[in-house]
Amino acid sequence: MTSGQPRTGNTPPTPTGADTESRPATTAAPGTPTQPARPSDPARTSDNAATETTAGSPPDVGAGSGAAPSGDPEAAPATSGPASDTARRGDTKAATKQDAAQGGSTTSASTAKDSTTTKDTGATKDSTSTKDSTAAKDSGATKDTGATKGGDAGKGAKGDDADGPDKADGEAKPVGPERWEAFASAPEPRPSIFTRAGRAVGRFLIHEWTLATLAATALAVLMTWPTLRYPRYTLPQDYWDPSLQAWQMAWSGHILLADPARLWQSNTFFPELWSFAFSDTLLGYAPAGMLGSGPEDAILRYNIMFVLAHALATLGAYALARQLGAGRIGAAVAGVSYTYAPWLLAQAGHLHVLSNGGIPLALAMLARGHGWSLRHGYRPERRHDGWVYAGWLVAAWQLSLGFGIGLPFAYFLAGTVLVAAVLFFARRLRTRQAVPFGRRLFTADLLGGVLFAGIGLLMAFPFYKVTELHPYAERTIADISIFSPPASGFVTAPAESRIWGGLHEGARAALPWHPEMTLLPGFVLYALAAGGLFFSVWRLRQRLLLLVGVLVTMAFAMGTRFFDGTFTYVPLFEHLPGWSGLRTPGRLMLWTTLLLALLAAGAVTALTDRVRELTAQRIPSWPGPWLRMATLLPLLLVTVEGLNTTPHPVVPTQPAAMRSAEGPMLVLPSNQSLDQHVMLWSTSGFPDVVNGGSGFTPRQLDDVRRVSQSFPDQTSVDYLRTLGVRTVVLLRDQVAGTPWEITIDAPVESLGISRQEVGDAVVYRL
């Protein structure tokens, strides 16, 4: 709309004065003579003077007014650009340029749809060129962006330029953006492969999961100190069960390299079959057992895995809390409280109990693969079958460490799959819509579940063979009652707790078997979980479900102490396959601790979110840093409550006689505790030994111990020969108070055996 037309409605009035001069000029209609320039528009006058045409002819496309239509929001008056620059250089080249353009056919600027613009100095736009004006192209002065409607005119001008006797346009210097390239910043050089690799490593090192892994490992070293102070000579808690488990890792690694078919026929408990299945095997640590040989390497390996088991538990619980929706600090509280709960200090000698990090880690991976979060619900767009495969692999690895912890985990996974399937189909029937799941995810679950079940069956078969050969090895309800803790155990700490150990000495004395009945998960954890019931990022329904889980798992952990276990532990014991092999109900406290940790993570996350909001509202943000530091207090408290006074005794040195004696051999004296040392010493070459220690004692080993009380005599020698024993090693430093204290120096020539002193032992060859 031109300024001379009347305005109606809400149209603003016609601008005047300076406002009028600042408005862009309208494009002239075809056949309309060029309007004379106003004195107040020197730039326009300069352009018109440089592009003046013959009277009565339309202005040239590249020399018109150049004003865009007033409806174009990006239009601007042509005050500078290539045309005005040409005018400053002189009229000769401009005139030559116009003559060349006119020499073709009549090229009309009025037929152009939009006048073209070019950036010159960054302040104005040039409108003196068109896309089809070949003269403008030859001069290189402008960069055409417009489109000409008059195709014939454009072609005539182009053809004339092709003949082009006048080279004036070709001689014109470019005045477009190229003239300012010297002032542009230099292009950034392409980084070398080493630079890119360094940046990738830097991003990896500062990633959340890298930092979480390093922090969990560092914390494990500190919290288990001095485990790694003398890692080749000491063992945490005691040197009985840890010696057994050090032998288990060494044996599995050795035999899988030497003769995998003999895996379950170990070198101990000779000549028993399936002897490797007499207790939880820690088979998942077999790759570590392939490194090193001998007792010292076995002790070193055990101590390293002991520390790493704590680190993995912390990382696994952290990952699970993060996946469910907790913040970083809340997840850290969950990880630390789950790993360093005071009750676990009494289990420091049971690596198969401490090796529980695969449980929360597998759950975190499976939840991530299915796109599920406790805080955000089911998000189909976050599904990823790779995480599902990884979750099932970790779950299978956890199961391979032993059924003491793995069997409840297996039944939990089976129950979770069943409940998820029921809810899936129930929602589909209710809403008449299928919940997004996907074929790839179904395939991953199917294959992963088959792998998990296959590992479980392969692991279970040797244990069933053991129960067939040794029916007396099965547990009874009476056995479960011995290890069932009372309710007071949930508030009683073990002696290894630095904070509560001394204070709870009287409470421990009232417990029948306190190593398995001191089940305090931490008073700080109790408080944080209680707070999480009222103030949390989890929804109310979720908090109530977590609370129900805590109470139910506590009831199961009490075994027969909760209404005689009639509605809790006894049905599981009688009907679930394999459950009768679990003799310590109190270890189910692991699940109670995990649920309490998730409740605490919800509370701490809500606290940190609130602190962040308060900090953002303060101007200035003070005391924001102090408030943020206050959110670390729960993490500090659960860490302090997990401090321990776990002893680290020195492991008895391997007798020199065992390094040279031939198997099968019997080491005397023989009992449950000393035989575990013998198992560790046998890692030098793994000779067959009659000795062995496990969750139960085979009757044949009982017979050997009974008959050999009179060794050396004819009866014991004949009996050992029938078993295939070729060597007997009698340890002098262990015979005090035993029958061998008198007979160790007796002559043996009449028995047809030889006797030799080797160090602190006497070696008899049968």
Side-chain angles (χ1 to χ4, degrees), residues 13 49 75 252 328 368 499 510 541 588 595 725 749:
S252 60
R328 291 184 177 89
R368 173 65 180 86
I499 303 299
R541 180 183 62 181
L588 293 175
L595 296 175
V725 177
E749 290 79 5

Side-chain angles (χ1 to χ4, degrees), residues 268-273 275 278 469-470 472 666 670 675 689-692 696-708 719-720 722-725:
T268 59
F269 295 99
F270 178 84
E272 296 286 353
L273 300 177
S275 55
F278 285 179
L469 296 173
H470 309 279
Y472 50 88
L666 170 65
S670 174
D675 280 7
V689 294
V690 179
N691 307 73
F696 81 101
T697 302
R699 288 179 178 174
Q700 182 172 267
L701 182 55
D702 276 337
D703 294 340
V704 170
R705 290 171 178 172
R706 177 177 50 81
V707 172
S708 61
Y719 178 75
L720 294 177
T722 60
L723 294 179
V725 177

Side-chain angles (χ1 to χ4, degrees), residues 83-456:
S84 60
D85 188 62
T86 304
R88 287 191 297 269
R89 294 175 180 271
D91 295 337
T92 304
K93 294 182 179 180
T96 305
K97 180 178 177 181
Q98 289 185 3
D99 292 339
Q102 289 178 351
S105 59
T106 58
T107 304
S108 176
S110 61
T111 61
K113 182 178 180 180
D114 294 311
S115 60
T116 56
T117 60
T118 305
K119 294 180 182 179
D120 184 8
T121 63
T124 59
K125 296 182 179 179
D126 184 18
S127 59
T128 63
S129 60
T130 61
K131 184 174 183 180
D132 295 326
S133 177
T134 311
K137 288 183 179 179
D138 292 341
S139 67
T142 59
K143 193 173 183 180
D144 297 341
T145 60
T148 307
K149 288 184 179 180
D152 295 335
K155 289 180 181 180
K158 185 174 183 179
D160 215 18
D161 284 342
D163 297 334
D166 191 350
K167 305 297 182 181
D169 291 333
E171 297 175 359
K173 294 182 179 180
V175 292
E178 293 80 359
R179 64 182 297 184
W180 303 108
E181 287 183 355
F183 298 94
S185 59
E188 183 178 356
R190 177 180 175 82
S192 65
I193 186 173
F194 300 103
T195 303
R196 295 197 300 272
R199 292 175 180 175
V201 172
R203 289 192 298 270
F204 172 78
L205 292 178
I206 63 174
H207 196 276
E208 176 186 355
W209 295 111
T210 303
L211 297 177
T213 302
L214 295 176
T217 305
L219 183 64
V221 173
L222 294 175
M223 295 294 286
T224 60
W225 190 260
T227 299
L228 295 183
R229 185 177 183 181
Y230 304 109
R232 299 173 69 90
Y233 308 103
T234 63
L235 286 171
Q237 187 75 6
D238 56 56
Y239 44 55
W240 295 304
D241 283 352
S243 294
L244 162 65
Q245 293 164 345
W247 166 81
Q248 288 175 327
M249 286 188 283
W251 167 256
S252 60
H254 160 76
I255 202 62
L256 288 177
L257 291 176
D259 186 7
R262 276 195 59 198
L263 173 63
W264 299 101
Q265 319 300 332
S266 74
N267 70 311
T268 59
F269 295 99
F270 178 84
E272 296 286 353
L273 300 177
W274 306 100
S275 55
F276 193 50
F278 285 179
S279 59
D280 276 343
T281 61
L282 294 175
L283 187 58
Y285 288 148
M290 298 177 182
L291 305 176
S293 62
E296 289 187 359
D297 287 345
I299 296 172
L300 173 63
R301 184 186 305 113
Y302 179 92
N303 285 323
I304 292 175
M305 300 313 297
F306 179 82
V307 174
L308 292 181
H310 286 80
L312 181 62
T314 305
L315 181 63
Y318 176 88
L320 178 60
R322 287 288 284 152
Q323 172 59 30
L324 295 182
R328 291 184 177 89
I329 299 178
V333 169
V336 173
S337 60
Y338 172 75
T339 306
Y340 303 102
W343 76 273
L344 283 169
L345 298 177
Q347 305 292 332
H350 301 142
L351 184 58
H352 61 291
V353 177
L354 299 178
S355 299
N356 53 59
I359 294 176
L361 184 60
L363 295 177
M365 289 179 171
L366 290 173
R368 173 65 180 86
H370 290 86
W372 187 82
S373 169
L374 191 63
R375 189 174 184 180
H376 306 290
Y378 180 55
R379 292 177 289 180
E381 69 278 2
R382 295 181 63 85
R383 294 171 296 170
H384 196 293
D385 59 320
W387 284 111
V388 176
Y389 284 115
W392 283 112
L393 284 174
V394 173
W397 172 80
Q398 176 67 53
L399 187 62
S400 71
L401 294 176
F403 285 118
I405 297 299
L407 189 64
F409 177 48
Y411 282 118
F412 174 81
L413 281 181
T416 301
V417 171
L418 181 61
V419 171
V422 170
L423 293 178
F424 176 85
F425 288 106
R427 180 176 178 181
R428 184 173 182 176
L429 292 175
R430 186 178 69 254
T431 62
R432 302 293 182 181
Q433 293 180 352
V435 179
F437 194 77
R439 184 175 301 175
R440 293 178 59 182
L441 206 62
F442 176 78
T443 303
D445 280 323
L446 181 62
L447 295 179
V450 169
L451 172 66
F452 180 80
I455 295 295

